[in-house]
């Protein structure tokens, strides 16, 4: 029995391979690998100054994305949950406050600040970012909420 699942016939393998090639090229430009290219057989660098015009704008845009934030371990972008109705009952407002605190605590316990900063940079390079969330019961042993980002 194979541990690798069969790829469904309708899965867009060609499309994904094409996209992955683009992503590799974007990373190559961001990290400056393309600056190592040489001219012909001489071994002379094609770009001898090795100045990467792609990395700094990506880092600057990622910095502008979150603006000026306070130092600390809280996430760069905090979640605020509000009831649909602005004149909602106090119980709904209390529930919204509890959910807000819960989500921000999950972010904080999972180093959300650094995850969000990294996501800001990745989104500048690749055009977007997605977070995965998983239940992790081992975190309860550490006194944390058992959710891993």
């Amino acid at each position: 029995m194979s541990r690798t699942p069969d790829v469904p016939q309708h899965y867009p393998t060609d499309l994904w391979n094409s996209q992955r090639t683009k992503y590799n090229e974007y990373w190559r430009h961001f990290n400056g690998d393309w600056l190592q290219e040489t001219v012909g057989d001489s071994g002379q660098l094609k770009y001898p100054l090795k100045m990467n015009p792609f990395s700094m704008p990506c880092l600057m845009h990622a910095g502008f994305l979150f603006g000026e934030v306070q130092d600390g371990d809280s996430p760069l972008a905090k979640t605020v949950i509000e009831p649909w109705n602005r004149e909602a009952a106090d119980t709904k407002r209390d529930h919204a406050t509890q959910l807000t605190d819960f989500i921000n605590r999950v972010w904080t316990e999972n180093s959300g600040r650094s995850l969000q900063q990294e996501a800001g940079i990745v989104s500048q390079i690749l055009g977007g970012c997605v977070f995965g969330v998983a239940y992790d019961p081992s975190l309860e042993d550490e006194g944390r909420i058992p959710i891993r980002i």
Side-chain angles (χ1 to χ4, degrees), residues 4 19 22 31 62 82 86 100 115 123 128 130 145:
T4 305
Q19 189 64 38
K22 291 177 187 176
N31 67 20
E82 294 182 3
R86 296 251 183 224
T100 297
L115 286 174
S123 69
V130 176
I145 297 172

Side-chain angles (χ1 to χ4, degrees), residues 115-129:
L115 286 174
Q116 290 176 355
Q117 183 64 47
E118 184 177 351
I121 295 170
V122 168
S123 69
Q124 298 304 311
I125 301 166
L126 302 179
C129 184

Side-chain angles (χ1 to χ4, degrees), residues 29-30 52-64:
H29 277 78
F30 175 74
N52 188 347
F54 300 104
S55 61
M56 187 53 72
C58 287
L59 296 173
M60 288 175 63
H61 280 260
F64 293 141

Side-chain angles (χ1 to χ4, degrees), residues 3-137:
R3 293 177 80 60
T4 305
D6 292 331
V7 177
Q9 289 182 345
H10 63 276
Y11 186 79
T13 306
D14 294 338
L15 184 62
W16 169 243
N17 287 337
S18 171
Q19 189 64 38
R20 189 170 52 181
T21 301
K22 291 177 187 176
Y23 288 156
N24 288 337
E25 191 65 22
Y26 299 158
W27 275 112
R28 190 171 172 271
H29 277 78
F30 175 74
N31 67 20
D33 286 349
W34 60 280
L35 296 170
Q36 304 305 320
E37 292 179 14
T38 57
V39 178
D41 295 333
S42 68
Q44 185 178 3
L45 288 175
K46 190 173 184 180
Y47 308 102
L49 295 179
K50 292 189 176 184
M51 293 182 66
N52 188 347
F54 300 104
S55 61
M56 187 53 72
C58 287
L59 296 173
M60 288 175 63
H61 280 260
F64 293 141
L65 180 64
F66 298 107
E68 197 170 319
V69 294
Q70 294 180 347
D71 290 338
D73 61 351
S74 62
L76 296 172
K78 294 182 183 177
T79 301
V80 176
I81 297 175
E82 294 182 3
W84 283 98
N85 184 355
R86 296 251 183 224
E87 291 81 32
D90 287 341
T91 56
K92 287 188 178 184
R93 291 199 171 282
D94 291 343
H95 192 219
T97 300
Q98 289 174 344
L99 288 172
T100 297
D101 293 343
F102 175 80
I103 292 172
N104 287 321
R105 181 176 165 200
V106 169
W107 272 111
T108 300
E109 289 181 356
N110 284 276
S111 303
R113 188 180 193 90
S114 62
L115 286 174
Q116 290 176 355
Q117 183 64 47
E118 184 177 351
I121 295 170
V122 168
S123 69
Q124 298 304 311
I125 301 166
L126 302 179
C129 184
V130 176
F131 290 103
V133 179
Y135 173 71
D136 186 354

